[in-house]
Amino acid sequence: MASCFWVNQLYAQPIEKIYLNPKNPTIQKQSSYVDSIQFLPLASVEGIVFNEYANVRSTEKYFLITDNAAGYLYIYTKTGAFLKQINYKSEVKNLYPSYNSKTNEIIFFGNNINYTLTSKDRVKIQLDWSNEHNLKYFKKYVISLRDTSFAIKKAKPTKYDLISAYPFYADQYVQTKINTSPLYKDSIGYELSVYEKEQLVKNYFPYNRINEPKFLFSEEAAGIAFTEKPHLSYLLRPFCDTIYQSVKGVLTPVYQLVMPLENSLPPNFFTQRPESKADRENFKRNNGWLFHQIRDFYETPKLIYLTISFFSHFEVFVYDKQTHTAFNANKIKGDAKQYNLSLLTPYNIVRSGQRFYKLLKADMIGSFLKQHPEVEVPAALAADANKLSDKNGLLVVAFKLKD
């Protein structure tokens, strides 16, 4: 796959290669990569049964558990006490929650179900996003985590909501959605645009937003991988094998993926325009193992954590900088040192800064300890052994990658 970094507005420096073989069969021990494991038992609530794919997010004061399949949001304290269950599927219909760390709010934003918007309508709104008339096509609700009632309140959509911009560095917001349309009069679009006080301040990575081959008949978005340092993040572009470091908004290409031919996009993907949306979808279905995008990136002095989407699925990899070898998380197995738990598998895992969070059923630990009486019960779970036999009991597991 051709390298895709653009040096204008970027500071050039040597780019390190990450050699990736998605089908590497080597099995590794998880304890070689994961440490600082902490367990937090969540209070059991009668009548609440969690979907196994529910995820947990850490905020300043709370843990938020989202079960999109059932349409419920649960709020717990950082000590595991239950605070509130919110049936957002019933209260806000077709909207899903996201968390805004800048405002410390849970936000529900999306289409007003009283209107049906076509792709052309969306482009027209994008081109006229300052027009207050367009607000009627959308709905927004917020839950302020500064208000302990955790009430869902209706809110006025902002201009940033309309263009799908989210917090970036300092007081800036970043727009990363990418699309093409013949409605654009100016053919130059940008994969990433930075705004401050609703005014455009910087653009990166130009593309032809009328007929760019790789973006035709497809809606894409660049990703931002945030770190524990507020001024440091990483930019991850669709169909691009290069990872960019952003320091106070200044971008530098730092890593490039090198993959086997069977996973690399062919050169004509970037030059040959598909004839229709069906043509594009058929290509994706017939090439499920071709690279699509890096979705998350995090590094320690020793390791790199990567979440990558291919056309048909997601995979998580841990890259050892010393041996220059990437291991698929599905081949990284829990061992007795870590209660045989598989913590790095791609579903149900959320990273916040340098910590990773995952929900697990408490009886998974209980079953392991029954089979291994020689293993000491984790200190956080020793006080209430009954939790370890509760089939509906949940644990928040927090861990870090080894430095």
Side-chain angles (χ1 to χ4, degrees):
M1 183 166 58
S3 177
C4 53
F5 66 87
W6 178 59
V7 295
N8 189 24
Q9 299 191 61
L10 306 178
Y11 284 85
Q13 70 175 39
I15 299 178
E16 188 172 337
K17 307 288 186 180
I18 297 177
Y19 293 91
L20 191 70
N21 182 358
K23 296 183 180 180
N24 182 349
T26 306
I27 295 176
Q28 295 289 300
K29 285 186 176 181
Q30 182 176 272
S31 55
S32 299
Y33 307 108
V34 168
D35 66 7
S36 304
I37 298 178
Q38 298 176 340
F39 296 98
L40 174 68
L42 298 179
S44 297
V45 181
E46 187 175 353
I48 294 180
V49 178
F50 289 94
N51 182 289
E52 64 176 319
Y53 294 106
N55 64 61
V56 59
R57 179 175 296 278
S58 176
T59 71
E60 182 181 348
K61 293 183 178 180
Y62 307 109
F63 283 119
L64 309 178
I65 296 178
T66 306
D67 186 345
N68 282 330
Y72 282 96
L73 175 71
Y74 306 91
I75 303 177
Y76 285 81
T77 68
K78 286 295 184 74
T79 59
F82 174 77
L83 294 177
K84 191 163 185 176
Q85 171 184 285
I86 299 168
N87 182 350
Y88 63 84
K89 188 175 183 179
S90 172
E91 296 190 51
V92 299
K93 306 303 179 186
N94 63 327
L95 306 181
Y96 292 91
S98 62
Y99 175 64
N100 187 321
S101 58
K102 188 182 290 289
T103 61
N104 199 23
E105 292 176 325
I106 302 166
I107 296 176
F108 302 85
F109 173 78
N111 293 345
N112 183 340
I113 59 175
N114 295 321
Y115 298 91
T116 300
L117 296 179
T118 66
S119 57
K120 290 184 178 180
D121 293 331
R122 295 178 186 280
V123 171
K124 289 177 181 177
I125 291 170
Q126 178 187 347
L127 292 172
D128 193 23
W129 66 287
S130 61
N131 186 343
E132 294 274 329
H133 173 78
N134 290 322
L135 297 181
K136 70 178 182 180
Y137 298 116
F138 304 94
K139 291 286 188 181
K140 182 180 181 180
Y141 301 86
V142 301
I143 299 173
S144 173
L145 295 183
R146 294 185 178 91
D147 177 2
T148 55
S149 71
F150 305 119
I152 296 180
K153 297 181 180 179
K154 194 171 183 179
K156 180 181 178 181
T158 68
K159 303 301 188 297
Y160 287 143
D161 292 323
L162 266 63
I163 63 170
S164 302
Y166 53 90
F168 187 41
Y169 164 68
D171 293 327
Q172 296 179 339
Y173 278 70
V174 61
Q175 179 192 28
T176 62
K177 285 208 168 182
I178 302 164
N179 67 315
T180 59
S181 172
L183 294 179
Y184 292 118
K185 295 179 180 178
D186 182 355
S187 64
I188 299 178
Y190 295 90
E191 295 181 32
L192 186 145
S193 297
V194 180
Y195 292 84
E196 192 166 349
K197 297 179 181 178
E198 297 189 356
Q199 299 298 313
L200 178 66
V201 294
K202 193 176 293 185
N203 285 318
Y204 295 97
F205 307 109
Y207 71 95
N208 188 320
R209 58 180 178 171
I210 295 176
N211 57 12
E212 183 77 30
K214 62 183 176 181
F215 296 138
L216 275 177
F217 308 111
S218 180
E219 292 188 358
E220 304 292 340
I224 306 288
F226 293 97
T227 72
E228 68 276 15
K229 300 176 182 178
H231 65 274
L232 173 65
S233 58
Y234 294 88
L235 174 66
L236 315 168
R237 299 166 58 198
F239 312 121
C240 180
D241 56 13
T242 302
I243 297 161
Y244 303 81
Q245 184 184 78
S246 171
V247 179
K248 297 183 179 180
V250 176
L251 295 183
T252 307
V254 287
Y255 291 104
Q256 183 184 6
L257 297 186
V258 179
M259 289 177 285
L261 188 61
E262 64 180 299
N263 305 114
S264 301
L265 291 165
N268 64 1
F269 178 83
F270 300 93
T271 58
Q272 185 174 316
R273 298 187 182 101
E275 295 181 2
S276 64
K277 186 173 184 178
D279 189 27
R280 170 69 76 192
E281 293 302 319
N282 285 336
F283 177 84
K284 291 180 179 180
R285 277 194 296 269
N286 294 331
N287 296 277
W289 271 98
L290 287 187
F291 169 78
H292 181 194
Q293 186 173 357
I294 304 166
R295 298 292 181 173
D296 193 16
F297 173 91
Y298 176 72
E299 68 175 326
T300 70
K302 178 184 176 183
L303 303 171
I304 291 176
Y305 170 90
L306 292 160
T307 301
I308 296 178
S309 66
F310 298 87
F311 281 141
S312 66
H313 60 282
F314 286 80
E315 299 286 351
V316 170
F317 300 90
V318 177
Y319 182 78
D320 189 319
K321 294 181 182 179
Q322 294 176 337
T323 63
H324 304 288
T325 307
F327 298 98
N328 192 313
N330 290 320
K331 302 291 183 180
I332 299 176
K333 302 299 182 181
D335 48 65
K337 292 181 180 179
Q338 298 181 351
Y339 315 100
N340 285 352
L341 298 174
S342 293
L343 299 177
L344 291 170
T345 49
Y347 71 91
N348 196 24
I349 182 171
V350 175
R351 183 180 64 81
S352 179
Q354 62 183 334
R355 288 199 170 273
F356 295 78
Y357 297 89
K358 193 177 184 78
L359 283 181
L360 289 177
K361 294 289 184 69
D363 64 342
M364 293 179 65
I365 293 273
S367 297
F368 172 83
L369 292 172
K370 282 183 180 179
Q371 297 172 22
H372 298 83
E374 74 281 3
V375 177
E376 186 176 350
V377 178
L381 307 178
D384 189 355
N386 291 330
K387 287 185 181 294
L388 299 180
S389 59
D390 182 358
K391 292 185 178 181
N392 293 322
L394 274 190
L395 302 175
V396 173
V397 185
F399 60 94
K400 296 169 65 176
L401 293 185
K402 286 193 171 182
D403 294 332

